[in-house]
Amino acid sequence: MTSNKIALVTGANRGLGRSAAIALATRGVRVLVTHRGDAAGVEKTVEQVQAVGGTAAALRLDLSDVSSFASFTSELSDQLERWGTSRLDIVVNNAGVGIFGPLEDVTIDDFDTVLGTNVRGTFFLIQSLVPLLAQGAHVINVSSSLTRHTSPATSVYSASKAAVEALSRTLAAELGPHGIRVNSIAPGPTATDFNGGAMRDDAEFRQVLAGQTALGRVGEPDEIGDAIATLASEGLRWGTAQRIEVSGGAFL
Ligand SMILES: NC(=O)c1ccc[n+]([C@@H]2O[C@H](COP(=O)([O-])OP(=O)(O)OC[C@H]3O[C@@H](n4cnc5c(N)ncnc54)[C@H](OP(=O)(O)O)[C@@H]3O)[C@@H](O)[C@H]2O)c1
């Protein structure tokens, strides 16, 4: 199935971003995949997209460097032109960072890194991309199940994702008149490098998390990638300002 659509996926050199890029490509969407210096990782993503018959191109983007967004969007436009278009149809704001610890251990640098990447970076990237968004475009912001339930030592990260959800709803209202939808997707614990790979590699921790979900296990990256691609599909074209949780039923 080809769709002629083009998606930008941030943080696609590994983890959920890579899975989202592959899932979108499987559905015929051409993908622009970003990394912030992991050229080998993003190249692997491009190869995996090509292996499913898709088309991908890599771009460099550091979300913490808002001043670089003008040159990023210019490079993005050049790539779109090479693909015979000037517009993006889907943006997956996936890149994000988690630093975890109890209240007394959180440093100002930790706080600024998490909020600066997940909220400031995501917000100003959306602002920079609006002129490139097609009529009917869809912005998908990756949040976390931690905005609905609580776990100790996650306060700053959870707050950053709550902010992502709040800005998603407000931007859905602001951009709706331009035909642009904005939704957030909230994964539960998923087996990637995230949090030092604990959800993938720490058997004891995985068991604890499994006991907190209705489906009795942690998620796999392709399950989140498929969920993102499904949310991006035309079948959900009437949905905006929504939060979709894919956590296997965490803390019901
Ligand atoms: N895995 C989970 O359990 C889980 C659950 C809920 C939500 N999430 C969210 O899902 C998203 C992807 O997580 P993941 O599991 O794939 O984690 P991951 O394996 O740690 O990947 C994070 C991605 O974000 C990128 N990134 C971090 N800071 C960046 C910056 N300043 N500029 C550009 N890119 C940056 C990373 O780039 P580098 O490779 O250069 O570091 C990497 O590509 C994140 O937003 C995360 O908060 C994850």
Side-chain angles (χ1 to χ4, degrees):
M1 182 179 63
T2 54
S3 71
N4 280 329
K5 288 195 172 176
I6 297 180
L8 174 74
V9 183
T10 65
N13 55 302
R14 58 188 172 119
L16 303 186
R18 175 181 284 161
S19 295
I22 295 166
L24 286 161
T26 303
R27 290 156 177 82
V29 177
R30 282 179 285 177
V31 285
L32 290 158
V33 288
T34 81
H35 68 107
R36 63 166 165 176
D38 179 11
V42 85
E43 188 49 40
K44 195 169 162 196
T45 303
V46 170
E47 285 168 11
Q48 292 189 7
V49 164
Q50 289 166 345
V52 298
T55 302
L59 293 168
R60 193 167 174 156
L61 170 70
D62 183 347
L63 272 190
S64 68
D65 184 8
V66 170
S67 67
S68 71
F69 289 1
S71 62
F72 171 73
T73 51
S74 164
E75 283 169 33
L76 179 58
S77 290
D78 291 346
Q79 180 57 48
L80 290 172
E81 205 176 304
R82 282 194 282 278
W83 282 354
T85 182
S86 57
R87 293 283 180 261
L88 272 175
D89 303 289
I90 299 162
V91 176
V92 182
N93 284 306
N94 163 78
V97 67
I99 300 176
F100 301 100
L103 175 63
E104 61 273 19
D105 289 353
V106 175
T107 67
I108 293 170
D109 277 354
D110 293 341
F111 188 100
D112 289 347
T113 298
V114 174
L115 273 290
T117 306
N118 298 358
V119 185
R120 187 172 182 263
T122 299
F123 178 84
F124 285 105
L125 184 65
I126 296 170
Q127 185 189 66
S128 305
L129 292 174
V130 165
L132 296 179
L133 296 182
Q135 177 77 15
H138 191 176
V139 178
I140 297 173
N141 297 320
V142 177
S143 175
S144 167
S145 64
L146 281 166
T147 62
R148 181 181 57 78
H149 58 81
T150 54
S151 292
T154 67
S155 56
V156 177
Y157 176 72
S158 303
S160 77
K161 293 300 191 178
V164 166
E165 290 182 12
L167 71 83
S168 298
R169 283 192 301 275
T170 307
L171 295 182
E174 284 188 38
L175 298 174
H178 304 285
I180 297 167
R181 293 178 296 133
V182 186
N183 289 295
S184 51
I185 191 154
T190 311
T192 66
D193 295 337
F194 196 70
N195 193 16
M199 281 82 74
R200 184 190 53 217
D201 304 330
D202 183 336
E204 206 175 315
F205 189 45
R206 279 171 65 89
Q207 205 171 356
V208 170
L209 295 170
Q212 295 164 346
T213 66
L215 295 180
R217 60 176 175 80
V218 302
E220 294 301 323
D222 65 316
E223 292 172 317
I224 307 303
D226 280 342
I228 290 171
T230 301
L231 176 57
S233 74
E234 282 300 291
L236 283 165
R237 66 190 174 280
W238 194 230
T240 193
Q242 300 305 302
R243 171 191 188 270
I244 311 289
E245 183 171 315
V246 277
S247 67
F251 288 99
L252 295 181

